[in-house]
Amino acid sequence: MHGNPMKILLSSAALLMLTAPVFGHGARVVWEMQDDSVHISASFDDGQPLARAQVTVFSGAAPSVPYIVGMTDENGEFSFLPDKEKSLNWDVQVRSAGHGDIVNLSLTEESTVKNEQGKFTTLQIVLMSACVVWGFIGTAFFFASRRRR
Amino acid sequence: MHIPDGMLPGEICAAGYAGSAVLTWICIKKARSSSEDPAGIVSRASVMAAAFFVVSWIHIPLPPVSVHPILAGLMGILLGWLSFPAILVGLFFQAAMFGHGGFTTLGVNALSMGGAALLAWALYRMLRGKSGERAILISGFAAGFAGVSFAVIAVGTVLILTIPAYINTGAEVSAVLAMAAAHLPLALAEGIFTALVARFLLRVKPDMLM
């Protein structure tokens, strides 16, 4: 960086923008009511199923005692029948090698699909990442300019 | 590789924060005392933090798990002591923007990946010797390979030692071992990549190597 830091930083910024995020890695759990049962679908952010992950269901009435334990199938799916008289609030943890998520289910509303938060479009992800990357590059410019004084 | 919220007990998360705070302080102090160009190294650390932030989105499906580049070894040989704070900042933004990792587990994730970067850097310095492209290729590969391996060992150890009582221990241990095995190709790839970058920098900009 002694020779031409501006050129190096600009090249780095361009390279980072070109490799802008397209794929994800975190886990996402989506649930919906199917008749009286709750259907869980767990996947990585890119859609790859979180297969054979351990599922633990806790009721709001006894949040530290597992109500049901099980495992997702090859498609990352799992279903259970909640006892609505016991509680209307449920926590579901999906876990495989430390990857997974915990979702809170509130069975009081009419809508079927509840948990879609964290699901960004590719454009949103690119823009969000670009903003953060630009922050880093801006910081780099700031310190590079201090070096030249 | 990022442990999300809700997977670790509170005391482990607190210990992770305490450990990463102490290590950050030590790293910054060491970097300030050992660098002749503090502004330059901070500038480079910012660029590398951006690279670390972005590469975690490059997802490689290896069913039943999913892996992504870490660049701990490359961060180590390019940033030295500042690799740990740079990774900590990158992890913070990954958690804040996309929920990748978590805030409660930020300290533990920083210790596993940032600690791996520091260990990889130490291994690189030990193997590099005095000069020569052969030495730089070997030490660069070792750093890249070790960066992934140390992080996987750290994460796997923490996960296995903190498996909750309600989880099927055998199944979770198997899943952790599968996760670790899936990172072997990534470790090899990062080793080769880091070796090539190190050789390139040795030719064109050797002062960038710590």
Side-chain angles (χ1 to χ4, degrees):
Chain A
M1 285 214 182
H2 291 300
N4 193 341
M6 193 70 84
K7 188 184 284 184
I8 292 172
L9 291 174
L10 277 173
S11 304
S12 303
L15 187 66
L16 289 168
M17 293 303 174
L18 285 173
T19 58
V22 177
F23 301 110
H25 175 74
R28 188 173 73 243
V29 177
V30 178
W31 66 277
E32 64 179 326
M33 290 296 297
Q34 289 182 349
D35 297 325
D36 287 333
S37 65
V38 173
H39 180 75
I40 301 289
S41 181
S43 63
F44 291 102
D45 278 346
D46 66 324
Q48 181 188 338
L50 203 52
R52 299 188 297 282
Q54 297 199 57
V55 182
T56 312
V57 180
F58 301 91
S59 79
S64 59
V65 181
Y67 177 74
I68 295 172
V69 292
M71 197 169 271
T72 60
D73 62 16
E74 294 296 321
N75 298 315
E77 296 180 349
F78 178 81
S79 295
F80 71 97
L81 192 63
D83 183 351
K84 288 187 179 177
E85 291 185 1
K86 192 180 180 86
S87 178
L88 292 174
N89 294 304
W90 299 79
D91 289 323
V92 179
Q93 183 190 67
V94 182
R95 170 179 174 143
S96 177
H99 288 80
D101 199 5
I102 298 175
V103 290
N104 177 260
L105 284 57
S106 179
L107 308 181
T108 55
E109 298 173 19
E110 292 296 320
S111 58
T112 54
V113 177
K114 294 289 186 186
N115 179 41
E116 286 286 353
Q117 67 263 36
K119 186 178 180 182
F120 299 111
T121 65
T122 301
L123 180 62
Q124 284 174 315
I125 291 169
V126 169
L127 285 174
M128 290 162 72
S129 298
C131 290
V132 173
V133 169
W134 184 244
F136 283 126
I137 300 300
T139 305
F141 274 132
F142 174 76
F143 282 97
S145 68
R146 285 181 62 173
R147 289 178 64 224
R148 287 197 297 274
R149 285 174 193 166
Chain B
M1 188 57 65
H2 299 56
I3 303 175
D5 288 325
M7 297 293 164
L8 296 178
E11 56 269 29
I12 298 295
C13 296
Y17 264 101
S20 59
V22 170
L23 200 49
T24 301
W25 180 75
I26 291 171
C27 287
I28 291 174
K29 199 175 175 187
K30 290 276 189 183
R32 288 180 70 172
S33 63
S34 61
S35 176
E36 296 174 0
D37 181 19
I41 188 71
V42 172
S43 173
R44 192 191 307 167
S46 295
V47 175
M48 289 306 297
F52 176 81
F53 173 78
V54 168
V55 295
S56 75
W57 283 99
I58 301 171
H59 146 269
I60 305 156
L62 292 170
V65 299
S66 166
V67 302
H68 61 79
I70 302 170
L71 299 187
L74 187 63
M75 300 278 283
I77 69 171
L78 291 183
L79 300 178
W81 289 109
L82 279 191
S83 59
F84 186 88
I87 286 175
L88 178 63
V89 171
L91 285 170
F92 171 80
F93 279 99
Q94 286 170 350
M97 298 298 284
F98 307 113
H100 192 175
F103 284 118
T104 60
T105 53
L106 181 62
V108 173
N109 285 330
L111 284 177
S112 63
M113 283 180 256
L118 292 176
L119 289 173
W121 175 48
L123 182 66
Y124 162 81
R125 286 172 63 98
M126 199 169 70
L127 294 176
R128 184 179 169 181
K130 295 202 172 178
S131 60
E133 287 204 355
R134 184 183 166 87
I136 205 80
L137 280 173
I138 292 171
S139 54
F141 176 84
F145 186 87
V148 176
S149 303
F150 288 149
V152 169
I153 290 169
V155 169
T157 303
V158 169
L159 289 174
I160 287 175
L161 292 179
T162 59
I163 295 174
Y166 56 82
I167 291 283
N168 182 325
T169 304
E172 182 66 1
V173 169
S174 298
V176 170
L177 293 177
M179 180 267 292
H183 279 81
L184 183 59
L186 177 70
L188 290 169
E190 283 207 21
I192 293 168
F193 177 70
T194 307
L196 294 176
V197 171
R199 188 180 66 173
F200 173 75
L201 290 175
L202 181 69
R203 289 175 179 173
V204 301
K205 204 80 177 165
D207 56 310
M208 281 188 76
L209 295 166
M210 301 296 286

